Each structure stands twice: as C-alpha cells, then as structure tokens.
PDB file of all heavy atoms in Angstrom:
ATOM      1  N   ALA A   1      53.811 110.489  28.030  1.00 97.00           N
ATOM      2  CA  ALA A   1      53.808 109.152  28.619  1.00 97.00           C
ATOM      3  C   ALA A   1      53.674 109.237  30.141  1.00 97.00           C
ATOM      4  O   ALA A   1      52.878 108.481  30.771  1.00 97.00           O
ATOM      5  CB  ALA A   1      55.085 108.390  28.234  1.00 97.00           C
ATOM      6  N   ALA A   2      54.401 110.142  30.759  1.00 96.00           N
ATOM      7  CA  ALA A   2      54.323 110.310  32.224  1.00 96.00           C
ATOM      8  C   ALA A   2      52.941 110.785  32.626  1.00 96.00           C
ATOM      9  O   ALA A   2      52.384 110.272  33.635  1.00 96.00           O
ATOM     10  CB  ALA A   2      55.359 111.302  32.702  1.00 96.00           C
ATOM     11  N   ALA A   3      52.355 111.717  31.891  1.00 97.00           N
ATOM     12  CA  ALA A   3      51.042 112.220  32.201  1.00 97.00           C
ATOM     13  C   ALA A   3      49.963 111.151  32.062  1.00 97.00           C
ATOM     14  O   ALA A   3      49.086 111.031  32.944  1.00 97.00           O
ATOM     15  CB  ALA A   3      50.706 113.421  31.316  1.00 97.00           C
ATOM     16  N   LEU A   4      50.020 110.391  30.999  1.00 97.00           N
ATOM     17  CA  LEU A   4      49.040 109.317  30.783  1.00 97.00           C
ATOM     18  C   LEU A   4      49.171 108.263  31.891  1.00 97.00           C
ATOM     19  O   LEU A   4      48.157 107.800  32.461  1.00 97.00           O
ATOM     20  CB  LEU A   4      49.202 108.691  29.402  1.00 97.00           C
ATOM     21  CG  LEU A   4      48.949 109.612  28.200  1.00 97.00           C
ATOM     22  CD1 LEU A   4      49.137 108.836  26.897  1.00 97.00           C
ATOM     23  CD2 LEU A   4      47.582 110.251  28.266  1.00 97.00           C
ATOM     24  N   ALA A   5      50.395 107.841  32.188  1.00 97.00           N
ATOM     25  CA  ALA A   5      50.613 106.835  33.224  1.00 97.00           C
ATOM     26  C   ALA A   5      50.132 107.321  34.589  1.00 97.00           C
ATOM     27  O   ALA A   5      49.490 106.580  35.324  1.00 97.00           O
ATOM     28  CB  ALA A   5      52.097 106.440  33.266  1.00 97.00           C
ATOM     29  N   GLU A   6      50.446 108.553  34.913  1.00 96.00           N
ATOM     30  CA  GLU A   6      50.036 109.128  36.193  1.00 96.00           C
ATOM     31  C   GLU A   6      48.510 109.129  36.332  1.00 96.00           C
ATOM     32  O   GLU A   6      47.942 108.754  37.365  1.00 96.00           O
ATOM     33  CB  GLU A   6      50.549 110.521  36.368  1.00 96.00           C
ATOM     34  CG  GLU A   6      50.228 111.208  37.659  1.00 96.00           C
ATOM     35  CD  GLU A   6      50.943 110.597  38.846  1.00 96.00           C
ATOM     36  OE1 GLU A   6      52.098 110.119  38.705  1.00 96.00           O
ATOM     37  OE2 GLU A   6      50.354 110.582  39.921  1.00 96.00           O
ATOM     38  N   THR A   7      47.830 109.523  35.277  1.00 96.00           N
ATOM     39  CA  THR A   7      46.387 109.580  35.276  1.00 96.00           C
ATOM     40  C   THR A   7      45.768 108.201  35.404  1.00 96.00           C
ATOM     41  O   THR A   7      44.813 107.960  36.148  1.00 96.00           O
ATOM     42  CB  THR A   7      45.842 110.320  34.023  1.00 96.00           C
ATOM     43  OG1 THR A   7      46.535 111.569  33.919  1.00 96.00           O
ATOM     44  CG2 THR A   7      44.364 110.524  34.110  1.00 96.00           C
ATOM     45  N   LEU A   8      46.280 107.258  34.616  1.00 97.00           N
ATOM     46  CA  LEU A   8      45.773 105.874  34.674  1.00 97.00           C
ATOM     47  C   LEU A   8      46.031 105.245  36.039  1.00 97.00           C
ATOM     48  O   LEU A   8      45.190 104.521  36.573  1.00 97.00           O
ATOM     49  CB  LEU A   8      46.412 105.007  33.580  1.00 97.00           C
ATOM     50  CG  LEU A   8      46.046 105.400  32.125  1.00 97.00           C
ATOM     51  CD1 LEU A   8      46.806 104.537  31.134  1.00 97.00           C
ATOM     52  CD2 LEU A   8      44.562 105.342  31.902  1.00 97.00           C
ATOM     53  N   TRP A   9      47.182 105.507  36.603  1.00 96.00           N
ATOM     54  CA  TRP A   9      47.558 104.967  37.903  1.00 96.00           C
ATOM     55  C   TRP A   9      46.581 105.518  38.983  1.00 96.00           C
ATOM     56  O   TRP A   9      46.108 104.764  39.847  1.00 96.00           O
ATOM     57  CB  TRP A   9      48.991 105.297  38.277  1.00 96.00           C
ATOM     58  CG  TRP A   9      49.513 104.553  39.449  1.00 96.00           C
ATOM     59  CD1 TRP A   9      49.776 105.050  40.682  1.00 96.00           C
ATOM     60  CD2 TRP A   9      49.796 103.143  39.520  1.00 96.00           C
ATOM     61  NE1 TRP A   9      50.234 104.049  41.499  1.00 96.00           N
ATOM     62  CE2 TRP A   9      50.230 102.865  40.796  1.00 96.00           C
ATOM     63  CE3 TRP A   9      49.749 102.107  38.563  1.00 96.00           C
ATOM     64  CZ2 TRP A   9      50.611 101.609  41.207  1.00 96.00           C
ATOM     65  CZ3 TRP A   9      50.123 100.851  38.974  1.00 96.00           C
ATOM     66  CH2 TRP A   9      50.567 100.600  40.284  1.00 96.00           C
ATOM     67  N   ALA A  10      46.275 106.763  38.928  1.00 95.00           N
ATOM     68  CA  ALA A  10      45.334 107.382  39.855  1.00 95.00           C
ATOM     69  C   ALA A  10      43.921 106.798  39.650  1.00 95.00           C
ATOM     70  O   ALA A  10      43.235 106.483  40.618  1.00 95.00           O
ATOM     71  CB  ALA A  10      45.320 108.892  39.691  1.00 95.00           C
ATOM     72  N   ALA A  11      43.538 106.581  38.394  1.00 94.00           N
ATOM     73  CA  ALA A  11      42.202 106.008  38.138  1.00 94.00           C
ATOM     74  C   ALA A  11      42.139 104.590  38.662  1.00 94.00           C
ATOM     75  O   ALA A  11      41.070 104.143  39.138  1.00 94.00           O
ATOM     76  CB  ALA A  11      41.941 106.009  36.641  1.00 94.00           C
ATOM     77  N   GLY A  12      43.230 103.855  38.656  1.00 93.00           N
ATOM     78  CA  GLY A  12      43.253 102.486  39.149  1.00 93.00           C
ATOM     79  C   GLY A  12      43.428 102.405  40.648  1.00 93.00           C
ATOM     80  O   GLY A  12      43.630 101.296  41.158  1.00 93.00           O
ATOM     81  N   GLY A  13      43.356 103.507  41.338  1.00 92.00           N
ATOM     82  CA  GLY A  13      43.456 103.494  42.778  1.00 92.00           C
ATOM     83  C   GLY A  13      44.851 103.298  43.329  1.00 92.00           C
ATOM     84  O   GLY A  13      45.042 102.943  44.486  1.00 92.00           O
ATOM     85  N   GLY A  14      45.861 103.497  42.502  1.00 89.00           N
ATOM     86  CA  GLY A  14      47.240 103.365  42.946  1.00 89.00           C
ATOM     87  C   GLY A  14      47.709 101.912  43.004  1.00 89.00           C
ATOM     88  O   GLY A  14      48.780 101.668  43.524  1.00 89.00           O
ATOM     89  N   GLY A  15      46.942 101.016  42.424  1.00 90.00           N
ATOM     90  CA  GLY A  15      47.382  99.619  42.466  1.00 90.00           C
ATOM     91  C   GLY A  15      47.444  98.951  41.122  1.00 90.00           C
ATOM     92  O   GLY A  15      47.910  97.812  40.998  1.00 90.00           O
ATOM     93  N   ARG A  16      46.972  99.663  40.106  1.00 95.00           N
ATOM     94  CA  ARG A  16      46.982  99.083  38.751  1.00 95.00           C
ATOM     95  C   ARG A  16      46.701 100.158  37.702  1.00 95.00           C
ATOM     96  O   ARG A  16      46.162 101.220  38.005  1.00 95.00           O
ATOM     97  CB  ARG A  16      45.944  97.956  38.619  1.00 95.00           C
ATOM     98  CG  ARG A  16      44.525  98.497  38.653  1.00 95.00           C
ATOM     99  CD  ARG A  16      43.492  97.440  38.508  1.00 95.00           C
ATOM    100  NE  ARG A  16      42.713  97.652  37.310  1.00 95.00           N
ATOM    101  CZ  ARG A  16      42.221  96.714  36.557  1.00 95.00           C
ATOM    102  NH1 ARG A  16      42.377  95.468  36.875  1.00 95.00           N
ATOM    103  NH2 ARG A  16      41.529  96.972  35.480  1.00 95.00           N
ATOM    104  N   ALA A  17      47.133  99.842  36.502  1.00 96.00           N
ATOM    105  CA  ALA A  17      46.853 100.684  35.338  1.00 96.00           C
ATOM    106  C   ALA A  17      46.621  99.758  34.178  1.00 96.00           C
ATOM    107  O   ALA A  17      47.307  98.739  34.031  1.00 96.00           O
ATOM    108  CB  ALA A  17      47.994 101.647  35.051  1.00 96.00           C
ATOM    109  N   VAL A  18      45.649 100.070  33.350  1.00 97.00           N
ATOM    110  CA  VAL A  18      45.372  99.310  32.138  1.00 97.00           C
ATOM    111  C   VAL A  18      45.564 100.209  30.951  1.00 97.00           C
ATOM    112  O   VAL A  18      45.033 101.317  30.908  1.00 97.00           O
ATOM    113  CB  VAL A  18      43.921  98.716  32.163  1.00 97.00           C
ATOM    114  CG1 VAL A  18      43.628  97.992  30.877  1.00 97.00           C
ATOM    115  CG2 VAL A  18      43.731  97.808  33.375  1.00 97.00           C
ATOM    116  N   VAL A  19      46.339  99.743  29.998  1.00 97.00           N
ATOM    117  CA  VAL A  19      46.593 100.500  28.762  1.00 97.00           C
ATOM    118  C   VAL A  19      45.940  99.756  27.610  1.00 97.00           C
ATOM    119  O   VAL A  19      46.156  98.533  27.469  1.00 97.00           O
ATOM    120  CB  VAL A  19      48.122 100.666  28.517  1.00 97.00           C
ATOM    121  CG1 VAL A  19      48.357 101.436  27.233  1.00 97.00           C
ATOM    122  CG2 VAL A  19      48.792 101.342  29.721  1.00 97.00           C
ATOM    123  N   CYS A  20      45.144 100.460  26.843  1.00 95.00           N
ATOM    124  CA  CYS A  20      44.479  99.881  25.680  1.00 95.00           C
ATOM    125  C   CYS A  20      45.204 100.321  24.418  1.00 95.00           C
ATOM    126  O   CYS A  20      45.457 101.485  24.221  1.00 95.00           O
ATOM    127  CB  CYS A  20      43.038 100.358  25.609  1.00 95.00           C
ATOM    128  SG  CYS A  20      42.004  99.853  27.012  1.00 95.00           S
ATOM    129  N   LEU A  21      45.494  99.357  23.569  1.00 94.00           N
ATOM    130  CA  LEU A  21      46.070  99.632  22.249  1.00 94.00           C
ATOM    131  C   LEU A  21      45.255  98.883  21.202  1.00 94.00           C
ATOM    132  O   LEU A  21      44.582  97.905  21.501  1.00 94.00           O
ATOM    133  CB  LEU A  21      47.541  99.151  22.200  1.00 94.00           C
ATOM    134  CG  LEU A  21      48.525  99.803  23.160  1.00 94.00           C
ATOM    135  CD1 LEU A  21      49.907  99.226  22.938  1.00 94.00           C
ATOM    136  CD2 LEU A  21      48.546 101.305  22.976  1.00 94.00           C
ATOM    137  N   VAL A  22      45.393  99.341  19.974  1.00 90.00           N
ATOM    138  CA  VAL A  22      44.682  98.735  18.837  1.00 90.00           C
ATOM    139  C   VAL A  22      45.626  97.719  18.207  1.00 90.00           C
ATOM    140  O   VAL A  22      46.762  98.012  17.933  1.00 90.00           O
ATOM    141  CB  VAL A  22      44.218  99.770  17.812  1.00 90.00           C
ATOM    142  CG1 VAL A  22      43.590  99.093  16.603  1.00 90.00           C
ATOM    143  CG2 VAL A  22      43.266 100.736  18.451  1.00 90.00           C
ATOM    144  N   THR A  23      45.126  96.516  18.013  1.00 81.00           N
ATOM    145  CA  THR A  23      45.892  95.450  17.364  1.00 81.00           C
ATOM    146  C   THR A  23      45.569  95.388  15.882  1.00 81.00           C
ATOM    147  O   THR A  23      44.749  96.159  15.365  1.00 81.00           O
ATOM    148  CB  THR A  23      45.597  94.087  18.027  1.00 81.00           C
ATOM    149  OG1 THR A  23      44.186  93.793  17.812  1.00 81.00           O
ATOM    150  CG2 THR A  23      45.928  94.093  19.492  1.00 81.00           C
ATOM    151  N   ALA A  24      46.184  94.443  15.203  1.00 66.00           N
ATOM    152  CA  ALA A  24      45.958  94.247  13.756  1.00 66.00           C
ATOM    153  C   ALA A  24      44.499  93.875  13.534  1.00 66.00           C
ATOM    154  O   ALA A  24      43.813  93.328  14.424  1.00 66.00           O
ATOM    155  CB  ALA A  24      46.862  93.149  13.227  1.00 66.00           C
ATOM    156  N   PRO A  25      43.976  94.137  12.345  1.00 60.00           N
ATOM    157  CA  PRO A  25      42.560  93.835  12.044  1.00 60.00           C
ATOM    158  C   PRO A  25      42.277  92.336  12.262  1.00 60.00           C
ATOM    159  O   PRO A  25      43.060  91.486  11.876  1.00 60.00           O
ATOM    160  CB  PRO A  25      42.392  94.199  10.577  1.00 60.00           C
ATOM    161  CG  PRO A  25      43.511  95.149  10.295  1.00 60.00           C
ATOM    162  CD  PRO A  25      44.618  94.777  11.243  1.00 60.00           C
ATOM    163  N   ILE A  26      41.159  92.086  12.872  1.00 54.00           N
ATOM    164  CA  ILE A  26      40.683  90.705  13.047  1.00 54.00           C
ATOM    165  C   ILE A  26      39.215  90.669  12.675  1.00 54.00           C
ATOM    166  O   ILE A  26      38.529  91.684  12.630  1.00 54.00           O
ATOM    167  CB  ILE A  26      40.854  90.205  14.502  1.00 54.00           C
ATOM    168  CG1 ILE A  26      40.132  91.127  15.471  1.00 54.00           C
ATOM    169  CG2 ILE A  26      42.330  90.036  14.822  1.00 54.00           C
ATOM    170  CD1 ILE A  26      40.128  90.618  16.902  1.00 54.00           C
ATOM    171  N   THR A  27      38.699  89.480  12.408  1.00 55.00           N
ATOM    172  CA  THR A  27      37.278  89.325  12.071  1.00 55.00           C
ATOM    173  C   THR A  27      36.549  88.856  13.307  1.00 55.00           C
ATOM    174  O   THR A  27      36.817  87.783  13.830  1.00 55.00           O
ATOM    175  CB  THR A  27      37.109  88.311  10.931  1.00 55.00           C
ATOM    176  OG1 THR A  27      37.906  88.748   9.829  1.00 55.00           O
ATOM    177  CG2 THR A  27      35.679  88.197  10.497  1.00 55.00           C
ATOM    178  N   VAL A  28      35.629  89.670  13.749  1.00 55.00           N
ATOM    179  CA  VAL A  28      34.814  89.359  14.926  1.00 55.00           C
ATOM    180  C   VAL A  28      33.366  89.601  14.571  1.00 55.00           C
ATOM    181  O   VAL A  28      33.017  90.640  14.025  1.00 55.00           O
ATOM    182  CB  VAL A  28      35.219  90.210  16.142  1.00 55.00           C
ATOM    183  CG1 VAL A  28      34.244  89.975  17.287  1.00 55.00           C
ATOM    184  CG2 VAL A  28      36.633  90.002  16.536  1.00 55.00           C
ATOM    185  N   MET A  29      32.545  88.638  14.871  1.00 58.00           N
ATOM    186  CA  MET A  29      31.104  88.806  14.675  1.00 58.00           C
ATOM    187  C   MET A  29      30.520  89.481  15.907  1.00 58.00           C
ATOM    188  O   MET A  29      30.699  88.984  17.020  1.00 58.00           O
ATOM    189  CB  MET A  29      30.418  87.489  14.408  1.00 58.00           C
ATOM    190  CG  MET A  29      30.909  86.783  13.119  1.00 58.00           C
ATOM    191  SD  MET A  29      30.699  87.777  11.652  1.00 58.00           S
ATOM    192  CE  MET A  29      28.956  87.891  11.563  1.00 58.00           C
ATOM    193  N   PRO A  30      29.827  90.621  15.760  1.00 56.00           N
ATOM    194  CA  PRO A  30      29.257  91.289  16.883  1.00 56.00           C
ATOM    195  C   PRO A  30      28.161  90.445  17.538  1.00 56.00           C
ATOM    196  O   PRO A  30      27.452  89.711  16.850  1.00 56.00           O
ATOM    197  CB  PRO A  30      28.714  92.613  16.361  1.00 56.00           C
ATOM    198  CG  PRO A  30      28.580  92.393  14.879  1.00 56.00           C
ATOM    199  CD  PRO A  30      29.574  91.322  14.519  1.00 56.00           C
ATOM    200  N   HIS A  31      28.016  90.586  18.858  1.00 61.00           N
ATOM    201  CA  HIS A  31      26.975  89.902  19.588  1.00 61.00           C
ATOM    202  C   HIS A  31      25.668  90.629  19.430  1.00 61.00           C
ATOM    203  O   HIS A  31      25.637  91.789  19.006  1.00 61.00           O
ATOM    204  CB  HIS A  31      27.367  89.771  21.074  1.00 61.00           C
ATOM    205  CG  HIS A  31      28.589  88.988  21.305  1.00 61.00           C
ATOM    206  ND1 HIS A  31      28.634  87.619  21.129  1.00 61.00           N
ATOM    207  CD2 HIS A  31      29.847  89.390  21.650  1.00 61.00           C
ATOM    208  CE1 HIS A  31      29.868  87.202  21.383  1.00 61.00           C
ATOM    209  NE2 HIS A  31      30.618  88.235  21.701  1.00 61.00           N
ATOM    210  N   GLY A  32      24.572  89.997  19.721  1.00 59.00           N
ATOM    211  CA  GLY A  32      23.210  90.540  19.523  1.00 59.00           C
ATOM    212  C   GLY A  32      23.078  91.974  20.020  1.00 59.00           C
ATOM    213  O   GLY A  32      23.455  92.320  21.131  1.00 59.00           O
ATOM    214  N   GLY A  33      22.567  92.817  19.177  1.00 58.00           N
ATOM    215  CA  GLY A  33      22.330  94.213  19.537  1.00 58.00           C
ATOM    216  C   GLY A  33      23.525  95.134  19.340  1.00 58.00           C
ATOM    217  O   GLY A  33      23.395  96.340  19.459  1.00 58.00           O
ATOM    218  N   CYS A  34      24.689  94.607  19.103  1.00 56.00           N
ATOM    219  CA  CYS A  34      25.911  95.397  18.889  1.00 56.00           C
ATOM    220  C   CYS A  34      26.256  95.473  17.416  1.00 56.00           C
ATOM    221  O   CYS A  34      25.920  94.570  16.674  1.00 56.00           O
ATOM    222  CB  CYS A  34      27.080  94.830  19.686  1.00 56.00           C
ATOM    223  SG  CYS A  34      26.844  94.829  21.448  1.00 56.00           S
ATOM    224  N   ARG A  35      26.918  96.506  17.046  1.00 55.00           N
ATOM    225  CA  ARG A  35      27.337  96.633  15.668  1.00 55.00           C
ATOM    226  C   ARG A  35      28.825  96.839  15.619  1.00 55.00           C
ATOM    227  O   ARG A  35      29.386  97.580  16.449  1.00 55.00           O
ATOM    228  CB  ARG A  35      26.503  97.758  15.061  1.00 55.00           C
ATOM    229  CG  ARG A  35      27.125  98.751  14.229  1.00 55.00           C
ATOM    230  CD  ARG A  35      26.148  99.858  13.901  1.00 55.00           C
ATOM    231  NE  ARG A  35      26.645 100.999  14.638  1.00 55.00           N
ATOM    232  CZ  ARG A  35      26.793 102.216  14.112  1.00 55.00           C
ATOM    233  NH1 ARG A  35      26.347 102.459  12.931  1.00 55.00           N
ATOM    234  NH2 ARG A  35      27.293 103.161  14.806  1.00 55.00           N
ATOM    235  N   ALA A  36      29.484  96.191  14.705  1.00 53.00           N
ATOM    236  CA  ALA A  36      30.933  96.261  14.573  1.00 53.00           C
ATOM    237  C   ALA A  36      31.374  97.656  14.082  1.00 53.00           C
ATOM    238  O   ALA A  36      30.689  98.225  13.236  1.00 53.00           O
ATOM    239  CB  ALA A  36      31.460  95.193  13.639  1.00 53.00           C
ATOM    240  N   ASN A  37      32.470  98.170  14.608  1.00 56.00           N
ATOM    241  CA  ASN A  37      32.955  99.474  14.138  1.00 56.00           C
ATOM    242  C   ASN A  37      34.430  99.367  13.735  1.00 56.00           C
ATOM    243  O   ASN A  37      35.053 100.393  13.480  1.00 56.00           O
ATOM    244  CB  ASN A  37      32.757 100.556  15.215  1.00 56.00           C
ATOM    245  CG  ASN A  37      33.554 100.330  16.458  1.00 56.00           C
ATOM    246  OD1 ASN A  37      34.436  99.483  16.512  1.00 56.00           O
ATOM    247  ND2 ASN A  37      33.264 101.130  17.476  1.00 56.00           N
ATOM    248  N   SER A  38      34.975  98.176  13.701  1.00 66.00           N
ATOM    249  CA  SER A  38      36.351  97.891  13.261  1.00 66.00           C
ATOM    250  C   SER A  38      37.428  98.606  14.126  1.00 66.00           C
ATOM    251  O   SER A  38      38.557  98.655  13.748  1.00 66.00           O
ATOM    252  CB  SER A  38      36.585  98.188  11.800  1.00 66.00           C
ATOM    253  OG  SER A  38      36.672  99.599  11.576  1.00 66.00           O
ATOM    254  N   PHE A  39      37.025  99.122  15.237  1.00 71.00           N
ATOM    255  CA  PHE A  39      37.964  99.739  16.144  1.00 71.00           C
ATOM    256  C   PHE A  39      37.917  99.058  17.526  1.00 71.00           C
ATOM    257  O   PHE A  39      38.890  98.486  17.981  1.00 71.00           O
ATOM    258  CB  PHE A  39      37.669 101.242  16.322  1.00 71.00           C
ATOM    259  CG  PHE A  39      38.534 101.926  17.328  1.00 71.00           C
ATOM    260  CD1 PHE A  39      39.839 102.210  17.058  1.00 71.00           C
ATOM    261  CD2 PHE A  39      38.024 102.230  18.597  1.00 71.00           C
ATOM    262  CE1 PHE A  39      40.654 102.830  17.990  1.00 71.00           C
ATOM    263  CE2 PHE A  39      38.857 102.857  19.530  1.00 71.00           C
ATOM    264  CZ  PHE A  39      40.148 103.137  19.232  1.00 71.00           C
ATOM    265  N   THR A  40      36.753  99.076  18.112  1.00 77.00           N
ATOM    266  CA  THR A  40      36.558  98.485  19.440  1.00 77.00           C
ATOM    267  C   THR A  40      36.938  96.987  19.452  1.00 77.00           C
ATOM    268  O   THR A  40      37.528  96.513  20.392  1.00 77.00           O
ATOM    269  CB  THR A  40      35.106  98.676  19.906  1.00 77.00           C
ATOM    270  OG1 THR A  40      34.784 100.062  19.842  1.00 77.00           O
ATOM    271  CG2 THR A  40      34.930  98.194  21.335  1.00 77.00           C
TER     272      THR A  40
END
C-alpha cells in the first residue's frame, strides 16, 4: 500500500493521486469503434 501510494503520488506531481478499482458489473454499450471487455 505504501509503495503504490508513493508511486501514484509521484506520478501526480505531488499534488494528487488517483486510485482505480473495479466495481460491480454494469451494462454499458461501447461507443463507436470500441469493444466492451467487461473490465474497463
């Protein structure tokens, strides 16, 4: 946790960090040219 936070903080320039997590399955229609992969 410390290593991930430190790396994300550095990537954000020392002013922010964004953490991505996967939520419960939802139904989304992909936009033109994109294909759904049920993860992104």
Side-chain angles (χ1 to χ4, degrees):
L4 297 180
E6 181 70 33
T7 307
L8 295 177
W9 192 251
R16 69 181 242 146
V18 177
V19 179
C20 297
L21 297 181
V22 175
T23 61
I26 57 173
T27 304
V28 174
M29 296 303 295
H31 297 289
C34 295
R35 135 188 111 133
N37 65 10
S38 76
F39 175 75
T40 306

